[in-house]
Amino acid sequence: MASMFSIRLPKKLLKRMRERKDINWAEALREAIRRTLNEPILPVTIENLICSLRDSNEWGMLLCLYLKAELLSPHYVVRNLEIIYPGRATEIIDRLNSMLRERGIDPSLSGSFEGRTLRDLVKEGLLMYGVYDEFEKEVREKLSKENWDINKVVWLLSQYFIEDLYMEYEPAFSIEPHGFIRTLEIMLDKEDVTNIVNKLVKIGLVFWDYYSSRAYSHEMIKGADYARPIFAEFFTNKSYLNYSTDLLKDENFLAFLKWLSREYGLDFRAIMEYAEERAKAEFKGSKSFDEVLEELIKRGIVLIDYWPHRRRVGRRSSMPPHWIYKLTPIAKREILPRLLIEALSKLQL
């Protein structure tokens, strides 16, 4: 999992660095930091493989290597590659598998080296040797050519992936897709948005995956690790939040907040899938619940998440699927403090 940090440099030094287009400064800094900290080096076989593929511009195979290291399901490696490189997925995988076997590496990347999994070592190598940088650059270029709707979808995903940029731990960057897809259908007025999600896969921003355990089995939408800086930038972008101070006095918005806060405060409201209509009937506004929900989703204020069915395992009981209604993190941060100030201003203290 990649993290970001910034350093301050003299202007002249920065100018000289920018003049050297032939040097990947991020890669150079990472290597210098690793040497300074005396961090263990990567296995030579992995290092040579990554550098060889990078130097020969085999970006499809490098992406395949990343997906092998990142995704839980090998079948979904094929699925994602087929979306990105139609008709070439099998060829890319076969070529990469052949190269891995030649170097004595299990194509499934199982196993470990000095206490670290091969998957983690591969991802670290892709980061250290500038592959992440190139992937991120390519995603940025593709997004810059996309329309407002696609960029708003990326913003919406950032609201699912990130709760708080300043958390001490990195977010998981994966979601069960039902809630996101339902929210997206409402936001874009479309009945089927699978092609839009696949467009983001083709861009290289997210990937399909599958999680399976004794308790859960479900698909996931997984954000690319190298795209974390992109999601962080979208997360704080207020231009996708359609908010005005009039909202604080809107009876239907206030009624929605009251409805939302019945169980867990304003964090979220979890409703069993089969009991959703009964819960909606509790809403007391001048418009219908669905009308208000649609408006708030389109304004970037509310999203719907999803908890999948949980099977009974050991002492843990089974749990039916739930729809999760909640404010987007940016709406919570921008609107709730103003709502509190508005309420306090009405008190005669």
Side-chain angles (χ1 to χ4, degrees), residues 74-123:
H75 300 294
Y76 278 67
V77 173
V78 181
R79 176 177 173 179
N80 287 291
L81 286 176
E82 196 58 46
I83 293 171
I84 301 167
Y85 304 106
R88 293 185 53 210
T90 302
E91 172 211 339
I92 291 171
I93 293 171
D94 287 347
R95 286 179 61 206
L96 180 60
N97 287 348
S98 177
M99 291 185 73
L100 289 168
R101 290 191 189 97
E102 287 173 4
R103 289 162 172 77
I105 302 171
D106 184 345
S108 67
L109 300 184
S110 61
S112 61
F113 176 81
E114 295 186 354
R116 303 182 63 196
T117 68
L118 283 182
R119 285 173 170 243
D120 285 344
L121 290 168
V122 164
K123 286 189 285 186

Side-chain angles (χ1 to χ4, degrees), residues 18 179 209 217 223 273 308 349:
R18 286 174 173 166
D209 201 2
S217 296
E273 195 170 40
L349 299 177

Side-chain angles (χ1 to χ4, degrees), residues 14-283:
L14 184 60
K15 182 174 181 291
R16 289 178 60 194
M17 288 173 64
R18 286 174 173 166
E19 289 171 353
R20 293 295 304 273
K21 304 290 186 182
D22 57 313
I23 298 176
N24 183 327
W25 289 107
E27 182 181 334
L29 284 170
R30 283 192 289 263
E31 183 61 29
I33 291 169
R34 189 172 70 174
R35 285 199 305 269
T36 301
L37 295 176
N38 198 26
E39 285 288 296
I41 61 173
L42 293 170
V44 174
T45 49
I46 292 178
E47 183 178 320
N48 289 344
L49 172 65
I50 291 172
C51 291
S52 172
L53 291 172
R54 180 200 61 188
D55 294 343
S56 54
N57 291 319
E58 292 282 4
W59 299 107
M61 292 177 69
L62 283 165
L63 182 61
C64 180
L65 184 62
Y66 166 75
L67 293 176
K68 279 175 169 285
E70 180 71 0
L71 301 187
L72 299 174
S73 169
H75 300 294
Y76 278 67
V77 173
V78 181
R79 176 177 173 179
N80 287 291
L81 286 176
E82 196 58 46
I83 293 171
I84 301 167
Y85 304 106
R88 293 185 53 210
T90 302
E91 172 211 339
I92 291 171
I93 293 171
D94 287 347
R95 286 179 61 206
L96 180 60
N97 287 348
S98 177
M99 291 185 73
L100 289 168
R101 290 191 189 97
E102 287 173 4
R103 289 162 172 77
I105 302 171
D106 184 345
S108 67
L109 300 184
S110 61
S112 61
F113 176 81
E114 295 186 354
R116 303 182 63 196
T117 68
L118 283 182
R119 285 173 170 243
D120 285 344
L121 290 168
V122 164
K123 286 189 285 186
E124 183 176 318
L126 294 171
L127 170 64
M128 291 295 297
Y129 295 107
V131 177
Y132 270 26
D133 298 328
E134 289 299 318
F135 284 165
E136 181 190 341
K137 179 182 175 183
E138 184 179 5
V139 169
R140 288 184 183 278
E141 289 175 355
K142 289 178 179 177
L143 280 177
S144 69
K145 299 173 184 176
E146 292 295 339
N147 58 32
W148 171 269
D149 280 353
I150 292 295
N151 280 272
K152 188 168 184 179
V153 174
V154 180
W155 174 84
L156 179 63
L157 267 173
S158 76
Q159 301 300 304
Y160 280 88
F161 287 157
I162 305 170
E163 184 65 32
D164 183 348
L165 278 177
Y166 304 103
M167 284 183 175
E168 292 184 4
Y169 60 90
E170 295 277 3
F173 262 52
S174 62
I175 55 171
E176 203 286 344
H178 280 78
F180 168 69
I181 287 174
R182 184 177 170 191
T183 303
L184 194 56
E185 288 171 348
I186 294 171
M187 189 177 79
L188 299 181
D189 276 326
K190 293 181 181 291
E191 293 184 1
D192 184 4
V193 295
T194 305
N195 63 321
I196 294 176
V197 179
N198 287 341
K199 181 70 175 287
L200 297 183
V201 172
K202 197 169 184 67
I203 289 171
L205 196 68
V206 299
F207 302 103
W208 292 102
D209 201 2
Y210 194 85
Y211 176 81
S212 182
S213 68
R214 292 172 62 199
Y216 294 100
S217 296
H218 58 81
E219 279 195 322
M220 296 192 302
I221 295 174
K222 197 161 193 172
D225 194 27
Y226 53 79
R228 285 176 182 270
I230 298 173
F231 281 115
E233 290 167 17
F234 272 90
F235 178 75
T236 55
N237 191 330
K238 299 179 186 179
S239 64
Y240 299 100
L241 178 66
N242 182 3
Y243 159 73
S244 64
T245 54
D246 292 343
L247 188 68
L248 303 179
K249 300 174 183 178
D250 185 283
E251 62 173 315
N252 287 299
F253 176 61
L254 297 176
F256 182 85
L257 290 181
K258 185 176 181 180
W259 177 88
L260 185 69
S261 63
R262 284 180 65 95
E263 295 179 6
Y264 300 98
L266 286 171
D267 281 343
F268 65 90
R269 182 168 180 183
I271 299 169
M272 287 185 288
E273 195 170 40
Y274 62 79
E276 188 178 25
E277 292 305 315
R278 186 166 68 246
K280 287 180 180 180
E282 299 170 5
F283 176 72

